[in-house]
């Protein structure tokens, strides 16, 4: 029925239907009939649908493509809207129906007598009123035109339905697709244009409810996703809105702050945490602040963390909210240590040990590895003290933890306190952790410990005795668990005597004081170390490398003032110069082949007297020549008789040099 078809003429509609459907006349001969109805009659005639009555086609379940949430809504919540409308229509001869988008009836409700009449026409749950089955009707035309439709009396294709006035309005999902139809069926004499408004109102109410359900599902889905993301983040996340009410907190933040999530959400942030001044000021000023090392008050506890505060604005009515990002300081320090390459890599198995002297050193070091007491490693430069310290770290329970190595001599005295002790945070400025905090849980290696200022030596004693460190500009002691390994090549006893080294610190190293002998004092290690060094070079350069016996003998005769470091450098130079992968004597540095040792004296006590210099020259000539007197005399520029006389005066035997 056209909107302007009221008041309608049932006789005119019947005559038009009779002309087209029964007599096969042309639709062009019909005037005043809805063109949509006329097109439907033509389709029905084309399908050879019998006009006598519907086929009463029914199905137990409509196989239609509706998303499960929408289908569940139609089967449950949408029916409540039909019930509300039915209460309004109670006492009238009307039937309300809800069908799927394939015209199968999902629910039918209404007047008892009218229900029975409609059921006879195929209008019952499971039945189909598709145009191919039930001919022209409001449900079929609504699905065809995707618009609200009313079909009156003889406008129905089947004559058995001429007693009805059917009205239908589509139900769209959030994507605009028709998923259902709301239909109202009344006796034809009760037809009214208000029926269209009623069905449209019910369909819109269902659509609005579906929209709300969809929004709720989407909101819940986003909330679940957000909670999953927050839970997967390694950092702690705490969010509060413009009123300071906590809206989100992830598990990491709850664990760090020792809070229970259910008791936090919905509470005012000030009742949960005592924010440090630097964050409180940023909150009040509505500005961001990043990576501030600070301490939060949680009840009676204090929790330290690396914090960032980020403002956000959800909408203008709720003010500015804030997102607090917390990082565990220990995790940050471990990351810094990894990136800075401060992890110990060597183990005892990697050290070149073949002499009894070094075996004793390793035995002492293994014993020290399983203790937490400070360790002092003494010895000349280049003897491998740092490598031994790494092995001690990796042998004990601190393996895998931070290993922070510091050359104390490289830090200016004026900056030493700041660098070692760090600086506390305050007045909007981020703090700086101490070196002891950076090495917390692991080992702090202090190379050239004797160059520490007296103030720092006292601070080191305090750390060893109390296990705490106090940053500059701070009054809060910070507990640290760090193992101290100190290296020195100096005479600490003399420094203690002249007051330049703290006596208490000296005695703190009494438990484990390890002396690494110079390479010249353990000749058994020279050959072994050289061969291991050549093997490592061959592996790193991916080429065949070896060293012949004569070159090894030359190495064994050399004095090695630079110790193991000099030996490794010599092997690397020789590996780059040798031919066919074999290191010969001529490939070695000239200083080693000739036995020359270049050492600059650092004090008057290191200047040799004439007699000492003469003795040293004879010994070096003996090392280089293998104790051959003639070759020694030629090298020294003296006669053999003079050489023998000086050997006797100096109580030197050439035999000891020939054995090497």
């Amino acid at each position: 029925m056209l909107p302007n078809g009221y008041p309608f003429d049932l006789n005119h509609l019947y005559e038009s239907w009779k002309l087209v459907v029964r007599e096969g006349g042309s639709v062009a001969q019909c005037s005043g009939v809805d063109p949509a109805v006329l097109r439907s009659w033509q389709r029905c005639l084309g399908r050879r649908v019998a006009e006598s009555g519907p086929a009463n086609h029914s199905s137990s379940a409509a196989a239609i493509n509706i998303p499960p949430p929408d289908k569940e809504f139609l089967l449950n919540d949408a029916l409540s809207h039909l019930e509300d409308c039915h209460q309004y229509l109670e006492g009238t001869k009307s039937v309300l129906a809800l069908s799927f988008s394939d015209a199968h009836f999902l629910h039918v409700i209404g007047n008892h007598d009218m229900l029975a009449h409609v059921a006879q026409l195929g209008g019952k749950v499971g039945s189909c009123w598709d145009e191919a089955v039930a001919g022209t009707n409001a449900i079929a035309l609504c699905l065809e035109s995707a618009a609200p439709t009313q079909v009156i009396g003889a406008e129905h294709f089947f004559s058995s339905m001429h007693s009805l006035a059917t009205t239908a309005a589509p139900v769209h999902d959030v994507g605009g697709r028709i998923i259902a139809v709301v239909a109202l069926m009344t006796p034809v004499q009760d037809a009214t244009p208000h029926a269209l408004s009623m069905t449209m109102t019910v369909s819109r109410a269902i659509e609005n409810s579906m929209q709300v359900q969809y929004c709720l599902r989407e909101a819940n889905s986003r909330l679940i996703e957000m909670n999953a993301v927050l839970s997967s983040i390694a950092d702690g996340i705490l969010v509060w809105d413009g009123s300071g009410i906590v809206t989100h907190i992830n598990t990491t933040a709850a664990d760090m702050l020792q809070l229970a999530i259910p008791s936090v959400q919905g509470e005012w942030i000030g009742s949960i945490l005592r924010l440090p001044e630097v964050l409180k000021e940023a909150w009040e000023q509505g500005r961001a602040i990043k990576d501030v090392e600070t301490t939060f008050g949680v009840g009676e506890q204090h929790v330290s963390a690396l914090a960032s505060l980020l403002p956000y604005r959800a909408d203008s009515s709720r003010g500015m909210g804030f997102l607090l990002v917390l990082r565990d300081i220990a995790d940050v320090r471990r990351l810094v240590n990894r990136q800075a390459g401060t992890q110990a890599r060597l183990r005892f198995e990697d050290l070149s040990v073949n002499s009894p002297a070094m075996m004793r050193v390793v035995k002492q070091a293994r014993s020290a590895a399983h203790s937490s007491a400070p360790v002092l490693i003494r010895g000349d430069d280049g003897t491998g003290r740092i490598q031994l310290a790494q092995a001690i770290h990796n042998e004990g329970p601190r393996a895998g933890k931070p290993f922070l190595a510091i050359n104390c001599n490289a830090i200016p005295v004026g900056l030493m306190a700041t660098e070692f002790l760090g600086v506390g945070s305050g007045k909007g400025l981020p703090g700086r952790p101490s070196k002891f905090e950076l090495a917390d849980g692991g080992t702090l290696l202090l190379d050239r410990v004797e160059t520490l200022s007296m103030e720092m030596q006292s601070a080191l004693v305090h750390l060893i005795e109390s296990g705490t460190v106090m940053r500059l500009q701070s009054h809060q002691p910070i507990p640290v668990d760090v193992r101290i390994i100190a290296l020195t090549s100096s005479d600490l006893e003399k420094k203690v005597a002249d007051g330049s080294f703290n006596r208490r610190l000296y005695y703190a190293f009494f438990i484990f004081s390890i002396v690494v002998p110079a390479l010249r004092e353990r000749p058994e290690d020279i050959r072994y170390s050289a061969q291991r060094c050549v093997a490592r070079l061959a592996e790193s350069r991916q080429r065949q490398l070896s060293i012949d016996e004569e070159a090894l003998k030359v190495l064994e005769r050399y004095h090695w003032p630079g110790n193991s470091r000099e030996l490794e450098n010599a092997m690397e130079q020789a590996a780059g110069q040798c031919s066919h992968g074999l290191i010969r004597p001529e490939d070695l540095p000239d200083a080693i082949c000739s036995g020359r040792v270049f050492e600059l004296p650092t004090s008057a006590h290191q200047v040799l007297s004439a007699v000492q210099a003469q003795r040293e020259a004879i010994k070096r000539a003996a090392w280089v020549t293998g104790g051959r007197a003639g070759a020694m005399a030629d090298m020294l520029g003296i006669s053999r008789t003079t050489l023998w006389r000086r050997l006797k005066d100096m109580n030197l035997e050439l035999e000891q040099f020939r054995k090497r």
Side-chain angles (χ1 to χ4, degrees):
M1 175 64 68
L2 291 170
N4 60 357
Y6 283 87
F8 53 84
D9 186 344
L10 287 176
N11 290 329
H12 176 70
L13 291 176
Y14 177 77
E15 291 300 327
S16 299
W17 172 83
K18 181 180 177 182
L19 174 65
V20 175
V21 177
R22 283 197 173 170
E23 298 176 1
S26 171
V27 296
Q29 298 174 278
C30 301
S31 61
V33 181
D34 189 344
V37 171
L38 294 176
R39 289 192 297 270
S40 177
W41 288 350
Q42 286 183 313
R43 290 193 297 272
C44 291
L45 290 170
R47 295 190 180 105
R48 299 183 181 277
V49 177
E51 57 83 17
S52 57
N56 199 20
H57 176 76
S58 64
S59 173
S60 59
I64 58 174
N65 183 24
I66 297 179
D70 294 340
K71 199 167 188 177
E72 182 180 351
F73 174 82
L74 289 175
L75 292 170
N76 296 295
D77 297 4
L79 301 184
S80 64
H81 294 283
L82 261 68
E83 295 286 349
D84 293 340
C85 186
H86 172 249
Q87 289 182 5
Y88 177 76
L89 294 172
E90 192 171 3
T92 65
K93 289 185 177 181
S94 59
V95 169
L96 276 168
L98 182 68
S99 76
F100 285 127
S101 59
D102 63 351
H104 279 81
F105 281 80
L106 169 64
H107 188 68
V108 182
I109 189 173
N111 176 268
H112 182 269
D113 294 335
M114 194 62 182
L115 278 174
H117 179 57
V118 172
Q120 289 177 351
L121 299 175
K124 57 185 178 180
V125 175
S127 297
C128 179
W129 270 22
D130 182 70
E131 191 176 74
V133 176
T136 307
N137 65 84
I139 293 176
L141 283 185
C142 176
L143 291 170
E144 176 68 27
S145 63
T149 305
Q150 189 175 45
V151 178
I152 303 295
E155 287 184 328
H156 293 89
F157 184 78
F158 292 142
S159 59
S160 59
M161 300 176 71
H162 287 182
S163 61
L164 295 179
T166 58
T167 309
V171 177
H172 298 85
D173 64 9
V174 293
R177 187 170 61 116
I178 296 177
I179 62 170
V181 174
V182 175
L184 175 63
M185 290 157 277
T186 64
V188 67
Q189 61 271 19
D190 294 340
T192 171
H194 301 300
L196 271 173
S197 300
M198 185 172 295
T199 54
M200 289 173 62
T201 299
V202 176
S203 70
R204 294 297 180 271
I206 294 174
E207 288 176 354
N208 291 338
S209 295
M210 289 184 65
Q211 183 73 39
V212 171
Q213 292 287 338
Y214 173 80
C215 291
L216 286 174
R217 289 200 305 269
E218 286 298 302
N220 287 333
S221 178
R222 298 291 86 80
L223 182 61
I224 291 171
E225 290 175 1
M226 185 181 68
N227 287 334
V229 170
L230 291 178
S231 298
S232 66
I233 294 175
D235 298 336
I237 304 292
L238 193 149
V239 184
W240 62 85
D241 62 18
S243 302
I245 303 301
V246 176
T247 57
H248 300 286
I249 180 172
N250 68 352
T251 305
T252 306
D255 292 342
M256 290 177 64
L257 299 172
Q258 303 172 29
L259 297 170
I261 293 178
S263 65
V264 171
Q265 290 180 327
E267 297 294 325
W268 185 57
I269 183 66
S271 65
I272 299 168
L273 295 177
R274 293 192 301 278
L275 294 176
E277 287 299 322
V278 61
L279 293 182
K280 192 180 296 183
E281 290 177 8
W283 180 17
E284 293 171 352
Q285 297 169 11
R287 59 182 175 87
I289 189 168
K290 293 186 178 181
D291 296 334
V292 175
E293 188 175 342
T294 188
T295 302
F296 296 86
V298 186
E300 300 298 323
Q301 304 295 323
H302 291 86
V303 179
S304 296
L306 193 68
S308 296
L309 190 65
L310 307 173
Y312 74 92
R313 187 179 293 279
D315 57 66
S316 57
S317 63
R318 301 182 64 183
M320 184 174 292
F322 283 85
L323 184 146
L324 178 64
V325 182
L326 302 174
R327 296 181 182 176
D328 188 280
I329 293 178
D331 292 339
V332 174
R333 289 169 185 164
R334 279 193 290 270
L335 178 62
V336 170
N337 288 329
R338 283 199 300 270
Q339 295 298 322
T342 54
Q343 293 296 315
R345 295 179 174 82
L346 297 179
R347 309 186 70 87
F348 286 116
E349 294 77 10
D350 301 316
L351 304 180
S352 299
V353 177
N354 199 42
S355 64
M358 277 304 294
M359 289 180 181
R360 285 192 298 272
V361 168
V362 169
K363 184 177 180 180
Q364 286 180 284
R366 286 186 184 275
S367 176
H370 298 283
S371 171
S372 59
V375 178
L376 177 66
I377 302 178
R378 310 174 71 163
D380 293 346
D381 291 340
T383 52
R385 294 169 301 173
I386 294 179
Q387 291 82 350
L388 185 64
Q390 290 188 18
I392 291 173
H393 173 82
N394 284 326
E395 180 78 5
R398 298 175 186 267
K401 301 294 180 61
F403 181 86
L404 189 59
I406 299 174
N407 186 339
C408 303
N409 195 41
I411 302 176
V413 176
L415 297 177
M416 195 167 284
T418 302
E419 288 295 317
F420 271 90
L421 298 179
V423 181
S425 60
K427 297 182 179 180
L429 299 175
R432 180 192 300 176
S434 67
K435 293 294 187 287
F436 306 106
E437 293 171 73
L438 293 176
D440 189 30
T443 299
L444 180 63
L445 176 68
L446 302 176
D447 193 7
R448 299 189 181 277
V449 66
E450 73 279 0
T451 62
L452 284 176
S453 65
M454 294 304 293
E455 293 82 4
M456 278 310 307
Q457 291 181 33
S458 298
L460 186 57
V461 171
H462 175 76
L463 171 82
I464 293 172
E465 293 178 349
S466 68
T468 62
V469 63
M470 186 87 74
R471 293 186 188 178
L472 299 177
Q473 302 176 12
S474 174
H475 303 288
Q476 181 180 345
I478 301 173
V480 289
D481 173 25
V482 61
R483 207 281 176 78
I484 303 296
I485 298 181
L487 311 182
T488 186
S489 59
S490 298
D491 186 346
L492 290 187
E493 290 78 7
K494 182 179 178 181
K495 288 184 173 294
V496 170
D498 62 25
S500 62
F501 196 80
N502 189 296
R503 185 179 297 273
R504 289 170 62 192
L505 181 59
Y506 173 76
Y507 289 127
F509 290 117
F510 250 35
I511 300 176
F512 294 107
S513 181
I514 303 172
V515 179
V516 182
L519 186 59
R520 61 182 173 273
E521 297 173 7
R522 43 189 174 95
E524 301 92 334
D525 284 335
I526 296 175
R527 174 183 292 260
Y528 180 66
S529 298
Q531 290 173 331
R532 288 199 62 175
C533 187
V534 170
R536 285 196 299 269
L537 290 170
E539 182 178 357
S540 64
R541 299 187 180 192
Q542 296 184 346
R543 57 173 293 201
Q544 292 290 332
L545 275 177
S546 60
I547 182 169
D548 71 4
E549 184 64 25
E550 288 302 316
L552 288 172
K553 289 180 178 179
V554 171
L555 296 177
E556 289 176 325
R557 290 194 293 265
Y558 184 59
H559 190 59
W560 297 112
N563 293 295
S564 299
R565 187 182 299 130
E566 184 183 9
L567 175 60
E568 291 174 2
N569 293 341
M571 290 299 94
E572 187 146 2
Q573 180 180 339
Q577 296 182 173
C578 69
S579 302
H580 309 295
L582 180 63
I583 297 175
R584 298 179 175 85
E586 56 267 25
D587 300 317
L588 298 173
D590 293 341
I592 294 176
C593 291
S594 63
R596 297 193 305 273
V597 178
F598 299 97
E599 291 185 284
L600 294 175
T602 57
S603 69
H605 298 288
Q606 293 176 296
V607 178
L608 300 179
S609 65
V611 175
Q612 290 173 323
Q614 191 177 73
R615 179 184 177 88
E616 188 66 22
I618 292 175
K619 286 176 64 177
R620 292 182 182 180
W623 282 115
V624 173
T625 61
R628 290 180 287 117
M632 289 175 61
D634 293 339
M635 182 175 291
L636 295 169
I638 58 177
S639 65
R640 295 183 68 173
T641 303
T642 302
L643 175 62
W644 285 113
R645 185 176 68 254
R646 291 178 179 174
L647 286 171
K648 183 177 180 182
D649 293 340
M650 296 177 183
N651 197 26
L652 293 174
E653 297 288 341
L654 293 182
E655 187 64 27
Q656 59 180 314
F657 301 102
R658 295 192 183 108
K659 291 179 180 179
R660 307 186 197 280

